[in-house]
Amino acid sequence: MEEKKMPKVQVRGLTKRFGDLLVLNNISFDVEAGEFLCIVGPTGCGKTTFLNSLTKLYKPTEGEILLDGEPVDLKKHNIAYIFQEYSTMPWLTVEENVGFGLDIKGVEKGKAKALVDEYLEIVGLAKYRKYYPNQLSASMLQRVVIARAFATQPDLLLMDEPYGQLDIQLRYHLEDELISLWQRTGTTVLFITHNIEEAVYMGQRILVLTNKPTSIKQTIDNNLPRPRDIASPDFVKLRNEVTDLIKWW
Amino acid sequence: MIDNTKDSRFSVKQLIVIYTIISLMSLLAVWELVARFTKASMFLPPASQVLVAFCRSFVEPIGKRTMLAHIGVSLYRVGVAFFFATIAGIALGVGMGYSRLAEAILKPIFEFIRPIPPLAWIPLSILWFGLGDTGKFFIIFLGCFCFITVNTYDGAKNVDPELIGAARMLGANERQVFFEIVLPSSVPYIFAGLQIAVTAGWSAVVGAEMIQSNEGVGWMIVRGMNTGNTVQIMVGIVAIGIVGFILANLTSALERRLCAWNEQKGM
């Protein structure tokens, strides 16, 4: 963020109605290139609708989403998604899975192989490149999915509660891995979660959403030094701050 | 009292082989005894006689050819029909499983044809294709085709929508979704179909060779029937059984190699 350039993502007055039901109410924000932005909100606050509008699955009722100053076009822009489900292809080996996105996008073979090698190394799966998904553990599968997303060198990486179903130790571990991967690659990351601690631990900035109809309640800058300590007073203070914002009771 | 722990000089695999041999020997023994000492001997030649005739058939021709040549002819007929059935079955199955339109158009026709036994087509096939090999291909084709189609269709229907979603989000177009996701994830189902189909096709060969023919294992049986030669009928039956067994095992071995990724997961 040293240089003041055009934001990577610009969301302008995003509104979504399903019939009479207003789900997203005039949401506007920017994401800087290379930023790690966390979005938290109460359960059922329309996070999924928000994401689906971003990915063009839903057409927004009003407003627009710009990527590099142009309306999002999945044919032109390279957006990667990571969800809870380990959507690896069971008939492909680890390396083929990591290369799947590159293959789909028609990246030249030699270049694709170099990228696959690089990211297999980064996520620590180089030894397992010839394995099939049914021979791997949950955390390894999640790493395959992460490597597959990063290997496509996305303009924007969207993550929707990727660690929602994992146990705590594993989550901590993968979160750290993701942070270091992000620091290394400078990818722009939009991380959606309902887990406040996770949001405070990961993000450079936290966007807190309100209940339906969803709008932005507050944006919080998070300058805690990394690696962050979830038990430090500053961390706890920030976490409580976010928790208070989310409370609807 | 048998102490199981002392039996450890045999591995489980060896035990399975031993039991299989015992089972087969018992079958032959019962067959032999029934044929020799009961009135069934009029219609059932004893096992020993059939086995001797079976072995001799490899050197002494039955009709114009020896056993291996007969098996070869029948395998050729099954092979050709099976090849076309595989192509047609996979194409139709995947098509119906993937495209609602194709399903709506083709499925009723397919479901109508499916329960008709291949043998019911024999008279028509003679009219349409004459007495040559084409009619035999047709009958065997009908014997395999449906199994391949049904299984492939099942596979294409059961593709995990998560995977299709993941591919689309990585930028896959319709064609890529089809070839990179739908087809490969149907492969275990296709193989299950091929395995049933190869056995079914091999069974249909007898029916197919009932049509004017002078060679093949099916012919051997029909010929035995016409001349009242029960030994020859039994020799043909034994040959069909053994070859069918080998074919089934070959396909499942091939499946294990090509679908290694699906192991332990079941279907």
Side-chain angles (χ1 to χ4, degrees):
Chain A
M1 262 180 284
E2 299 89 58
E3 41 184 343
K4 262 287 169 220
K5 280 176 73 178
M6 187 192 350
K8 189 77 181 170
V9 184
Q10 295 167 275
V11 179
R12 294 279 166 266
L14 184 66
T15 302
K16 177 71 191 172
R17 272 192 202 89
F18 290 108
D20 286 340
L21 182 69
L22 180 62
V23 181
L24 301 178
N25 186 14
N26 194 19
I27 296 181
S28 299
F29 64 92
D30 290 347
V31 188
E32 303 297 330
E35 185 178 9
F36 197 122
L37 178 69
C38 284
I39 298 179
V40 282
T43 327
C45 75
K47 287 191 291 268
T48 307
T49 310
F50 177 73
L51 196 85
N52 287 340
S53 306
L54 218 58
T55 60
K56 292 286 202 150
L57 260 159
Y58 296 155
K59 203 173 147 29
T61 313
E62 274 167 53
E64 55 179 358
I65 300 161
L66 305 177
L67 217 165
D68 288 328
E70 294 174 69
V72 172
D73 176 0
L74 293 184
K75 295 234 163 29
K76 189 159 46 177
H77 297 124
N78 184 0
I79 302 182
Y81 310 80
I82 298 176
F83 298 109
Q84 269 179 21
E85 293 77 20
Y86 320 118
S87 53
T88 50
M89 315 303 162
W91 57 88
L92 299 180
T93 59
V94 167
E95 61 179 347
E96 289 165 340
N97 262 294
V98 173
F100 185 80
L102 299 167
D103 198 27
I104 290 287
K105 290 173 197 298
V107 174
E108 182 257 321
K109 288 263 183 284
K111 197 182 163 205
K113 190 177 180 308
L115 281 167
V116 168
D117 287 346
E118 183 186 343
Y119 283 93
L120 279 176
E121 200 61 56
I122 290 176
V123 298
L125 286 176
K127 260 199 295 184
Y128 302 97
R129 58 192 312 148
K130 298 286 180 202
Y131 282 56
Y132 285 101
N134 68 349
Q135 300 168 294
L136 303 183
S137 66
S139 74
M140 289 160 111
L141 287 177
Q142 187 67 5
R143 282 190 206 144
V144 172
V145 173
I146 287 174
R148 181 177 72 191
F150 272 96
T152 60
Q153 300 177 300
D155 297 316
L156 175 63
L157 178 61
L158 294 174
M159 306 185 79
D160 185 11
E161 307 202 12
Y163 307 136
Q165 287 172 342
L166 301 179
D167 60 68
I168 288 199
Q169 297 95 312
L170 201 52
R171 221 187 65 210
Y172 286 160
H173 178 65
L174 288 171
E175 283 169 0
D176 284 343
E177 224 170 57
L178 176 65
I179 294 285
S180 73
L181 206 51
W182 163 71
Q183 285 172 330
R184 223 194 254 228
T185 56
T187 307
T188 312
V189 182
L190 225 161
F191 191 101
I192 297 183
T193 178
H194 65 262
N195 185 325
I196 296 163
E197 185 179 280
E198 189 173 43
V200 175
Y201 188 72
M202 310 281 277
Q204 288 178 301
R205 206 152 53 102
I206 302 168
L207 219 64
V208 183
L209 302 179
T210 64
N211 250 321
K212 272 183 197 141
T214 309
S215 58
I216 296 176
K217 190 160 198 177
Q218 197 166 331
T219 308
I220 298 170
D221 284 318
N222 180 350
N223 296 319
L224 295 175
R226 293 180 200 269
R228 289 175 181 164
D229 175 6
I230 56 168
S232 78
D234 287 343
F235 188 97
V236 174
K237 188 166 155 269
L238 192 58
R239 198 189 66 201
N240 289 340
E241 204 178 307
V242 177
T243 310
D244 283 338
L245 284 169
I246 283 181
K247 271 187 186 165
W248 67 89
W249 58 90
Chain B
M1 296 298 121
I2 301 164
D3 184 359
N4 278 324
T5 51
K6 277 192 182 161
D7 265 347
S8 57
R9 58 206 158 101
F10 293 121
S11 71
V12 176
K13 261 189 182 166
Q14 286 171 320
L15 279 176
I16 288 173
V17 172
I18 291 170
Y19 287 142
T20 307
I21 292 171
I22 292 175
S23 153
L24 284 174
M25 296 310 264
S26 317
L27 174 71
L28 290 176
V30 171
W31 174 2
E32 184 74 25
L33 291 173
V34 168
R36 288 212 180 273
F37 299 111
T38 70
K39 284 186 176 166
S41 55
M42 287 181 69
F43 314 107
L44 181 72
S48 54
Q49 202 185 334
V50 170
L51 285 183
V52 169
F54 180 73
C55 294
R56 275 173 52 187
S57 68
F58 281 88
V59 280
E60 289 172 19
I62 298 179
K64 281 190 275 179
R65 293 167 184 275
T66 56
M67 179 56 87
L68 277 182
H70 282 297
I71 291 176
V73 166
S74 296
L75 274 179
Y76 159 73
R77 287 172 178 152
V78 173
V80 171
F82 184 71
F83 174 75
F84 287 107
T86 303
I87 293 175
I90 292 177
L92 185 62
V94 166
M96 290 197 312
Y98 185 61
S99 151
R100 293 247 169 121
L101 185 66
E103 186 180 18
I105 296 171
L106 298 170
K107 198 164 175 233
I109 304 174
F110 175 73
E111 289 296 344
F112 173 73
I113 294 179
R114 180 150 84 116
I116 303 172
L119 297 193
W121 293 94
I122 287 184
L124 281 178
S125 104
I126 295 176
L127 277 177
W128 293 344
F129 303 108
L131 296 167
D133 268 357
T134 317
K136 297 177 183 63
F137 295 151
F138 179 66
I139 298 299
I140 302 169
F141 173 90
L142 288 169
C144 327
F145 164 73
C146 291
F147 294 107
I148 302 174
T149 309
V150 168
N151 276 276
T152 309
Y153 171 69
D154 240 20
K157 274 262 153 194
N158 281 307
V159 180
D160 184 353
E162 295 287 345
L163 298 183
I164 294 183
R168 276 198 208 291
M169 290 182 178
L170 286 162
N173 56 32
E174 282 301 313
R175 197 182 54 82
Q176 286 172 320
V177 167
F178 184 80
F179 283 105
E180 307 283 336
I181 305 292
V182 176
L183 209 51
S185 82
S186 308
V187 166
Y189 291 83
I190 294 176
F191 261 98
L194 292 183
Q195 211 171 330
I196 306 170
V198 79
T199 318
W202 182 245
S203 321
V205 83
V206 181
E209 286 173 353
M210 282 177 171
I211 311 171
Q212 178 63 39
S213 170
N214 48 26
E215 53 196 353
V217 283
W219 166 82
M220 205 182 283
I221 292 172
V222 177
R223 174 76 186 170
M225 182 176 77
N226 293 341
T227 57
N229 186 344
T230 45
V231 175
Q232 188 176 323
I233 294 176
M234 290 304 293
V235 167
I237 288 175
V238 169
I240 288 177
I242 291 175
V243 174
F245 177 79
I246 293 172
L247 284 179
N249 278 290
L250 280 181
T251 20
S252 61
L254 189 67
E255 182 192 2
R256 254 174 281 137
R257 286 210 57 163
L258 291 178
C259 302
W261 57 269
N262 201 41
E263 242 162 54
Q264 299 155 352
K265 266 197 166 168
M267 293 224 321

